[in-house]
C-alpha cells in the first residue's frame, strides 16, 4: 500500500478495547488504556480480527503482540502501554511506519540544484543532493538570459556583467554592432559558474536537501525496476574526505533518481539512455588590464570563421575582473587548441598582455539522449542533452528542465503517497518540456546547419545581423526563451535578404580549410 505518514490514521487503543462502535468487541468491558498510536487503516481490521479470534481478554500483553506482529521491521519504539504516550522514531526511509520516499539528485549544477530545491520543499520526501566538487567551476561562457534572473530569483550579486552590446565579427573581420533594439532594462547576464551554482545549491540545501560531497561511481538498477514499484536503486559513491585521494566508499538505497550529472552522466549509463554526439568547449580566463577591461564592461564579442571553429563560434565574454576567451567544435575536436590560439589572435590587442589565470575544457551535448526516462530514473540538463545548437546555450535549459522534472514528479507523488511510473514521467515532464522548447531546438539546429557550415555562410550571417528586425527577433528569442518573429511581411523580406547575403558571402569568402578525423568524429558519450 501507500507509504506516506499521511495515509495513517489516528486510532485510540481505548476505542477498540473499551467498547467503541468500530470494534467487533464493543460489548466487552475492557480496562481503560489511555495510550494513542498511529495505525494504518488496513491494520485496524487485522488488529480487530486478531483480538476477536483470540477469544480472550485483550490484555496489554496481547495488544503488544498484535501490534508487533503487524509492524515487523518498524523502528518505532513502543514504551509501556500504560500511563505513557507512545514514542515515535524520527522519520527515515528505513522506517516502516514513516516510509518517506527517498529521492537522489545526482549532480549539483543548475539542473540538479533546481530539481533538489523543489523536492526538498515536499516534507514527505527525503531529498539527497550528490555533488562531487562543491566549488566546481564548469567550463562555460556563463551567459544567462534576462528571464532567468526573475524566474529563478537570482540576485544581481551573482551577475558579474550586464551585456547590452555585442560585436559579431565575420571571417574577413567585418564587424556588426548589435544591441540597438534592447530596452534600457534589458541585458544578457554574464556570470561565473562557481558563484551561480553555489547560490542555487545553497538555496536547495536551505530548503532541506541533504548535500553529500561525493562522486557517484555506480548505480545498481534492479531488473524489474520499470514494473516493480517496490524496487530500489543502490547508489555507490565515494564520499570526500579531507586529505584522502580516494574518499570513503559508501552505498545508499533510494526510490527515485534524477540524473543531473552532465555530459558524462553515470545515471545515463546506468539507465542505458543511449549515446549522443558532443562538442568540446575550451575556454581560457584571461586577466587583462583595467583599461582594456573597460571596453568589455557591457560588451561581448563573437567571432566566426573556420580559423576559430569549423562549426561553431569563438567568444570573448566579460567576467568580474577578467574575460573568458573560448571556442568549441563538434566535427574537429582534436584541433581545439589550434582554434583556441586563433581566437586569441583574432581578439588581438584587446586582450594582449593578459595573463591566463585558468584553462577549462568540457564536453557539451549536441542533441537529446535517445532515452531520458527509464523506470524511476530521469535525466535533466546536459545529461539529457538540453543544449541548443547555434548559440550553445545550456544554463537556462538545465535549470528549467531540473525544475520542470521535479515539479512534475512531486505532483505525481501526491504528497509522498505514491511513486510515479515511467509512463507518468514521460507524459508529464518529457511531454511538457518538448512542447515548450522543441521549436527552439529545431530552429537553432536549422540556423547552425545553414550559417555555420562554411565561410560564405558565415559572412552572410554577419551581414544579416545588420538588420534591426533580425536583431530584435534574435534578442527577444534569447532573452525570453520563446521563438519570436510573427510579422509575415518582414519574414518574407528577410528570406529575400538571406538569399542575397548568401550569394554575396559565397562570392567573397575564402574556402574552408580541409581536415579529417574519421576515428575521433565517430566517438560518442
Amino acid at each position: 500500500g501507500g507509504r506516506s505518514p499521511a495515509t495513517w490514521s489516528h486510532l485510540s487503543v481505548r476505542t477498540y478495547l473499551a467498547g467503541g462502535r468500530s470494534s467487533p468487541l464493543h460489548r466487552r468491558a475492557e480496562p481503560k488504556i489511555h495510550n494513542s498510536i498511529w495505525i494504518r487503516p488496513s491494520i485496524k481490521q487485522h488488529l480487530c480480527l486478531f483480538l476477536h479470534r483470540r477469544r480472550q481478554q485483550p490484555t496489554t500483553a496481547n495488544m503488544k503482540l498484535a501490534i508487533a506482529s503487524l509492524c515487523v521491521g518498524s523502528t518505532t519504539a513502543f514504551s509501556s502501554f500504560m500511563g505513557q504516550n507512545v514514542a515515535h522514531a524520527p522519520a527515515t526511509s528505513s522506517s516502516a511506519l514513516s516510509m518517506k520516499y527517498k529521492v537522489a539528485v545526482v549532480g549539483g549544477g543548475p539542473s540538479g540544484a533546481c530539481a533538489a530545491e523543489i523536492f526538498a520543499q515536499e516534507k514527505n520526501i527525503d531529498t539527497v543532493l550528490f555533488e562531487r566538487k562543491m566549488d566546481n567551476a564548469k567550463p562555460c561562457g556563463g551567459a544567462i538570459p534576462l528571464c532567468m534572473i526573475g524566474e529563478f530569483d537570482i540576485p544581481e550579486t551573482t551577475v558579474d556583467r550586464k551585456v547590452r552590446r555585442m560585436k559579431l565579427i565575420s571571417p574577413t573581420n567585418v564587424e556588426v554592432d548589435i544591441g540597438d533594439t534592447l530596452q534600457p532594462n534589458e541585458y544578457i547576464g554574464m556570470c561565473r559558474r562557481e558563484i551561480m551554482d553555489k547560490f542555487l545549491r545553497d538555496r536547495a540545501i536551505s530548503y532541506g536537501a541533504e548535500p553529500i560531497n561525493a562522486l557517484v561511481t555506480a548505480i545498481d538498477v534492479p531488473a524489474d525496476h520499470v514494473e516493480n514499484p517496490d524496487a530500489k536503486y543502490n547508489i555507490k559513491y565515494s564520499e570526500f574526505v579531507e586529505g584522502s585521494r580516494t574518499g570513503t566508499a559508501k552505498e545508499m538505497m533510494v526510490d527515485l533518481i534524477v540524473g543531473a550529472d552532465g555530459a558524462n552522466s553515470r545515471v545515463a549509463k546506468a539507465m542505458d539512455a543511449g549515446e549522443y554526439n558532443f562538442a568540446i568547449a575550451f575556454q581560457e580566463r584571461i586577466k587583462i588590464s583595467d583599461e582594456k577591461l573597460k571596453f568589455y564592461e557591457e560588451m561581448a564579442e563573437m567571432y566566426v570563421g573556420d580559423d576559430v571553429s569549423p562549426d561553431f563560434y569563438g567568444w570573448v565574454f566579460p567576467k568580474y575582473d577578467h574575460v573568458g576567451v573560448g571556442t568549441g567544435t563538434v566535427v574537429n575536436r582534436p584541433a581545439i587548441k589550434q582554434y583556441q590560439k586563433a581566437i586569441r589572435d583574432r581578439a588581438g590587442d584587446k586582450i594582449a598582455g593578459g595573463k591566463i589565470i585558468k584553462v577549462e575544457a568540457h564536453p557539451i551535448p549536441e542533441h537529446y539522449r535517445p532515452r531520458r526516462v527509464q523506470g524511476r530514473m530521469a535525466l535533466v540538463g546536459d545529461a539529457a542533452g538540453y543544449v541548443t545548437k547555434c548559440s550553445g546555450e545550456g544554463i537556462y535549459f538545465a535549470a528549467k528542465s531540473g525544475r520542470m522534472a521535479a515539479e512534475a514528479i512531486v505532483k505525481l507523488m501526491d504528497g509522498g503517497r505514491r511513486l510515479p511510473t515511467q509512463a507518468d514521467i514521460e507524459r508529464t515532464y518529457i511531454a511538457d518540456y518538448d512542447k515548450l522548447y522543441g521549436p527552439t531546438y529545431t530552429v537553432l539546429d536549422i540556423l547552425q546547419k545553414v550559417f555555420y557550415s562554411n565561410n560564405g555562410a558565415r559572412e552572410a550571417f554577419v551581414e544579416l545581423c545588420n538588420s534591426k528586425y533580425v536583431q530584435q527577433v534574435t534578442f527577444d528569442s534569447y532573452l525570453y526563451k520563446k521563438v519570436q518573429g510573427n510579422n509575415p511581411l518582414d519574414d518574407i523580406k528577410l528570406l529575400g535578404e538571406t538569399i542575397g547575403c548568401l550569394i554575396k558571402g559565397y562570392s567573397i569568402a575564402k574556402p574552408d580549410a580541409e581536415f579529417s578525423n574519421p576515428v575521433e568524429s565517430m566517438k560518442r558519450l
Side-chain angles (χ1 to χ4, degrees):
R3 300 187 178 198
S4 169
T7 64
W8 293 66
S9 61
H10 190 240
L11 169 67
S12 171
V13 175
R14 182 174 56 188
T15 302
Y16 270 32
L17 300 184
R21 283 180 172 268
S22 58
S23 170
L25 310 176
H26 66 271
R27 291 196 179 96
R28 294 187 178 183
E30 305 297 346
K32 291 184 178 180
I33 299 176
H34 299 282
N35 307 66
S36 292
I37 59 173
W38 289 90
I39 298 183
R40 213 171 193 161
S42 61
I43 291 179
K44 291 181 184 179
Q45 298 175 358
H46 294 293
L47 179 58
C48 296
L49 184 59
F50 176 89
L51 293 173
H52 183 65
R53 287 178 177 175
R54 295 285 293 182
R55 295 291 184 182
Q56 64 182 41
Q57 189 79 359
T59 62
T60 299
N62 289 334
M63 282 300 302
K64 287 183 178 179
L65 177 60
I67 293 170
S69 68
L70 295 169
C71 301
V72 174
S74 169
T75 58
T76 299
F78 289 95
S79 59
S80 171
F81 270 9
M82 300 298 293
Q84 299 180 35
N85 289 329
V86 175
H88 296 277
T92 65
S93 61
S94 62
S95 170
L97 288 183
S98 66
M99 295 303 287
K100 277 189 178 182
Y101 289 121
K102 178 166 283 189
V103 172
V105 179
V106 181
S111 60
C114 290
E117 176 183 339
I118 299 299
F119 285 120
Q121 293 178 70
E122 172 51 62
K123 64 181 180 180
N124 290 323
I125 296 175
D126 281 334
T127 305
V128 179
L129 178 60
F130 287 93
E131 172 54 46
R132 66 181 179 84
K133 193 175 181 183
M134 292 297 183
D135 60 347
N136 186 42
K138 180 185 174 183
C140 179
I144 59 176
L146 182 62
C147 65
M148 186 173 179
I149 304 294
E151 185 177 348
F152 290 87
D153 295 322
I154 296 176
E156 291 195 356
T157 53
T158 65
V159 177
D160 289 338
R161 302 283 179 179
K162 297 179 179 180
V163 168
R164 294 183 169 91
R165 307 290 304 179
M166 293 190 71
K167 279 188 182 295
L168 186 59
I169 300 101
S170 80
T172 56
N173 286 322
V174 174
E175 297 184 2
V176 170
D177 290 321
I178 303 174
D180 290 341
T181 62
L182 286 179
Q183 300 300 313
N185 62 338
E186 292 181 325
Y187 61 88
I188 297 172
M190 292 290 173
C191 64
R192 287 166 289 167
R193 286 291 301 273
E194 60 269 32
I195 302 298
M196 188 185 70
D197 290 12
K198 184 179 186 303
F199 167 77
L200 293 172
R201 192 164 49 241
D202 287 349
R203 187 166 66 185
I205 294 170
S206 72
Y207 278 118
E210 177 190 353
I212 297 181
N213 190 182
L215 173 66
V216 172
T217 55
I219 301 172
D220 290 338
V221 180
D224 62 345
H225 73 115
V226 175
E227 303 85 10
N228 183 5
D230 294 324
K232 289 181 178 288
Y233 304 97
N234 185 21
I235 297 180
K236 299 178 180 179
Y237 59 98
S238 178
E239 188 167 21
F240 174 77
V241 177
E242 189 71 40
S244 171
R245 296 186 64 181
T246 58
T248 301
K250 294 186 177 182
E251 298 183 11
M252 179 183 294
M253 302 297 290
V254 301
D255 298 289
L256 189 146
I257 299 175
V258 173
D261 47 342
N264 291 305
S265 172
R266 278 189 167 84
V267 177
K269 289 178 173 62
M271 62 184 273
D272 191 24
E275 298 177 331
Y276 51 30
N277 202 2
F278 66 99
I280 287 293
F282 193 100
Q283 178 175 262
E284 295 168 326
R285 300 194 189 192
I286 301 178
K287 181 88 172 188
I288 57 179
S289 67
D290 291 342
E291 182 179 352
K292 290 185 176 182
L293 193 59
K294 287 180 180 178
F295 173 79
Y296 292 106
E297 187 171 355
E298 292 188 345
M299 172 73 74
E301 291 183 314
M302 292 175 58
Y303 293 81
V304 291
D306 70 318
D307 57 335
V308 297
S309 175
D311 54 342
F312 202 54
Y313 63 88
W315 66 83
V316 181
F317 289 167
K319 305 293 184 180
Y320 174 67
D321 59 355
H322 60 278
V323 291
V325 181
T327 185
T329 180
V330 176
V331 298
N332 197 19
R333 294 186 290 258
I336 189 64
K337 290 187 178 180
Q338 169 190 323
Y339 298 137
Q340 180 64 19
K341 181 181 182 303
I343 183 62
R344 288 200 308 268
D345 292 344
R346 289 278 296 272
D349 289 341
K350 287 174 285 190
I351 62 170
K355 179 183 178 181
I356 298 175
I357 58 176
K358 191 176 183 65
V359 178
E360 307 165 315
H362 198 74
I364 304 295
E366 277 294 288
H367 53 79
Y368 289 1
R369 290 272 188 191
R371 286 176 296 281
R372 289 169 282 164
V373 178
Q374 188 183 64
R376 295 186 304 280
M377 296 186 290
L379 301 177
V380 295
D382 283 12
Y386 295 149
V387 176
T388 61
K389 296 287 189 72
C390 194
S391 65
E393 183 195 1
I395 300 177
Y396 174 82
F397 296 105
K400 187 68 173 180
S401 63
R403 174 175 283 187
M404 289 182 68
E407 288 177 340
I409 292 170
V410 166
K411 185 175 181 180
L412 289 167
M413 291 180 73
D414 190 22
R417 292 177 174 85
R418 62 180 291 265
L419 284 170
T421 65
Q422 176 175 325
D424 288 337
I425 300 173
E426 288 175 338
R427 69 176 171 78
T428 54
Y429 155 52
I430 296 296
D432 292 346
Y433 187 87
D434 289 351
K435 180 179 179 181
L436 193 58
Y437 297 113
T440 298
Y441 287 99
T442 299
V443 169
L444 291 176
D445 188 16
I446 294 171
L447 289 177
Q448 178 162 325
K449 287 181 171 67
V450 172
F451 291 112
Y452 285 0
S453 58
N454 59 71
N455 283 330
R458 296 179 191 111
E459 292 284 355
F461 174 61
V462 173
E463 185 174 352
L464 274 173
C465 286
N466 261 322
S467 164
K468 292 297 184 285
Y469 179 63
V470 171
Q471 293 186 25
Q472 182 73 56
V473 169
T474 300
F475 270 116
D476 285 352
S477 298
Y478 176 80
L479 293 178
Y480 304 108
K481 289 296 161 278
K482 293 181 180 178
V483 176
Q484 303 291 326
N486 54 4
N487 187 323
L489 291 178
D490 283 340
D491 289 342
I492 293 172
K493 181 180 178 182
L494 178 59
L495 177 61
E497 291 177 350
T498 300
I499 295 172
C501 288
L502 284 170
I503 293 172
K504 179 181 177 181
Y506 277 96
S507 69
I508 64 173
K510 64 182 180 66
D512 284 49
E514 294 184 3
F515 59 85
S516 176
N517 50 34
V519 176
E520 169 63 26
S521 64
M522 296 303 295
K523 289 184 179 179
R524 299 292 185 269
L525 293 178

